[in-house]
Amino acid sequence: MEELVALCKRRGFIFQSAEIYGGLQGVYDFGPLGVELKNNLKSAWWKSMVYENDNIEGLDASILTNSIVLDYSGHTETFSDPMVDCKSCGLRFREDQVPKSCKKEDLTEPRQFNLMFKTNIGPIDDGNSYAYLRPETAQQIFTNFKNILDSTSSSLPFGIAQIGKAFRNEITPRNFIFRVREFEQMELEYFVAPGDDDDAHTSWVQKRLNWWEKQGVPINNIELYEVPTDELAHYSKRTVDLMYKFPHGLEELEGIANRTDFDLGSHSKKQSELNLHAKVKLNKDSNSKLSIKNNDGAMVVPFVIEPSAGVERGMLAVLNEAFTIENLPENKSRIVLKLKAHLAPIKAAIIPLKKNDEKLVDLAKNIKSTLQELALGRVVLENTGNIGKSYRKHDEIGTPLCITVDFETLENNSVTVRDRDSMQQERLDIKDIKNLFEEKIK
Ligand code: GAP
């Protein structure tokens, strides 16, 4: 973990937030390469959900959440962790995360601590006009269910996908970006007819495993954890967690839950007419029945299968898999980030052999703009004149291709192309670069 954290800082992937003031615990900023990697991971998820499935629609709902939504979702009442204070060291811990150095007799009785961030709405802070920063992206998908049904021609089964920030006032944020207070989720709520939920759940577990494999996180490094009944969230009939071997241990990367008809039922009016399976709080505030016509024409409240993955945890898993230290001849070694090409923050570096040589730099710029126009991701001009240093840097940040423009290029239009993983170099005509780049990066 230390080496990975050091690389992330040194190369501009991830920084502690407000570092110049000592930082803000559990909050991170994503630097020039981190933002690219993050966007690429989110884009791969979005493509696999929204573009590759005609029955999945996208949504980008608000972060500020009306408190009433979270009352009916159950978060106000139950979204809490048991917390204890240590009278000796004066610190507060989650009950299951008390360090061994704190003696049992110094700990207070556990108290529930709600994890939601509350914020004031409007100019008067009278304690009554508040909202929450959403603790999961899911709720606004449920509250928009009718809007999306009315504005699309969706019928069961169908899904609504969303990527966005979520906030949790974690008592003990830790392990770099693994457990943080501000993070992003990639959540799909997949609505199915009651009775079709068990099969849909099993099928989504497999689809999600396959997707992680495509991002460079092998299925063999993920264990399925069948969450025991007494640990299930209040809304869940069954949850399968994808547990990944993070550098600090085996922990949850993504949860795939069968949320039954709990959420749509909870946010509906006239619940007694809806034949709900889940036990829900009586709703006196909603103006909608969140139901849909089943294939046989009956109105039903669908069951929901929810694959929910954290972007930061995904980045950590992807970086951990890609991070490699390779031994080279002559007792040398190199760090190389073997990221899948579609996730790499920079797709290719174009390197003029001599810094500021006008002819070489012009040619390099032309190649850069030709490749950049393909819109497959960021291509950079690396005008340092130090070829060895440039290769080392681009190995460390996972750039799949380095293309060097040298004096031979001026004579015969050929360039040297170096592959990140094999370090093999080949001489190619400039006109063939576009094809090679497309082949490698797509
Ligand atoms: N809507 C369901 C839900 O939010 P969850 O298991 O609480 O379920 C889903 O969260 C995913 O969000 C987790 O699998 C994890 O990847 C990510 N996540 C949750 N809390 C997090 C935190 N404090 N820091 C980073 N990621 C977190």
Side-chain angles (χ1 to χ4, degrees), residues 81-85 95 107-112:
D81 276 342
M83 164 213 82
V84 292
D85 291 304
E95 193 186 12
L107 301 177
T108 59
E109 282 299 307
R111 276 179 300 149
Q112 290 301 320

Coordinates of all heavy atoms in Angstrom, one line a residue, residues 81-85 95 107-112:
D81 N -23.9 3.9 12.7 CA -22.9 2.9 13.2 C -22.9 3.0 14.7 O -22.9 4.1 15.3 CB -21.5 3.2 12.7 CG -21.4 2.5 11.3 OD1 -22.1 1.7 10.9 OD2 -20.4 3.0 10.6
P82 N -22.6 1.9 15.5 CA -22.4 2.0 16.9 C -21.0 2.5 17.2 O -20.1 2.1 16.6 CB -22.6 0.5 17.4 CG -22.3 -0.3 16.2 CD -22.6 0.5 15.0
M83 N -21.0 3.5 18.1 CA -19.7 4.2 18.3 C -19.4 4.2 19.8 O -20.3 4.2 20.6 CB -20.0 5.6 17.8 CG -19.1 6.6 18.1 SD -20.1 8.1 18.1 CE -20.8 8.0 19.7
V84 N -18.1 4.0 20.1 CA -17.7 4.1 21.5 C -16.6 5.2 21.7 O -15.8 5.4 20.7 CB -17.2 2.7 22.0 CG1 -18.2 1.7 22.1 CG2 -16.0 2.3 21.2
D85 N -16.5 5.8 22.9 CA -15.4 6.7 23.2 C -14.5 6.0 24.1 O -14.9 5.3 25.0 CB -16.0 8.0 23.9 CG -16.8 8.8 22.9 OD1 -16.3 9.2 21.8 OD2 -18.0 9.0 23.2
E95 N -17.5 0.6 17.0 CA -17.4 -0.4 18.0 C -16.5 -1.6 17.5 O -15.8 -2.2 18.3 CB -18.8 -0.9 18.4 CG -18.8 -1.7 19.6 CD -20.2 -2.3 19.9 OE1 -21.1 -2.3 19.0 OE2 -20.4 -2.9 21.0
L107 N -13.7 2.1 27.8 CA -14.7 2.4 26.7 C -16.1 2.7 27.2 O -16.5 2.0 28.1 CB -14.7 1.2 25.7 CG -13.4 0.8 25.0 CD1 -13.6 -0.4 24.1 CD2 -12.8 2.0 24.2
T108 N -16.7 3.6 26.6 CA -18.1 3.9 26.9 C -19.0 2.9 26.3 O -18.6 2.1 25.4 CB -18.6 5.3 26.4 OG1 -18.4 5.3 25.0 CG2 -17.7 6.4 27.0
E109 N -20.3 2.9 26.7 CA -21.3 2.0 26.1 C -21.5 2.5 24.7 O -21.4 3.7 24.4 CB -22.6 2.1 26.8 CG -22.7 1.4 28.1 CD -22.5 -0.1 28.0 OE1 -23.3 -0.7 27.1 OE2 -21.7 -0.7 28.6
P110 N -21.7 1.5 23.7 CA -21.9 2.0 22.3 C -23.2 2.9 22.2 O -24.2 2.6 22.8 CB -22.1 0.7 21.5 CG -22.2 -0.4 22.5 CD -21.8 0.1 23.9
R111 N -23.0 3.9 21.3 CA -24.1 4.8 21.0 C -24.3 4.9 19.5 O -23.3 4.8 18.8 CB -23.9 6.2 21.5 CG -24.3 6.4 23.0 CD -24.0 7.8 23.5 NE -22.6 8.1 23.3 CZ -22.1 9.3 23.1 NH1 -22.9 10.3 22.9 NH2 -20.8 9.5 23.0
Q112 N -25.5 5.0 19.0 CA -25.7 5.0 17.5 C -25.3 6.4 17.1 O -25.7 7.4 17.7 CB -27.1 4.7 17.2 CG -27.5 3.2 17.4 CD -26.7 2.3 16.6 OE1 -26.3 2.5 15.4 NE2 -26.3 1.1 17.2

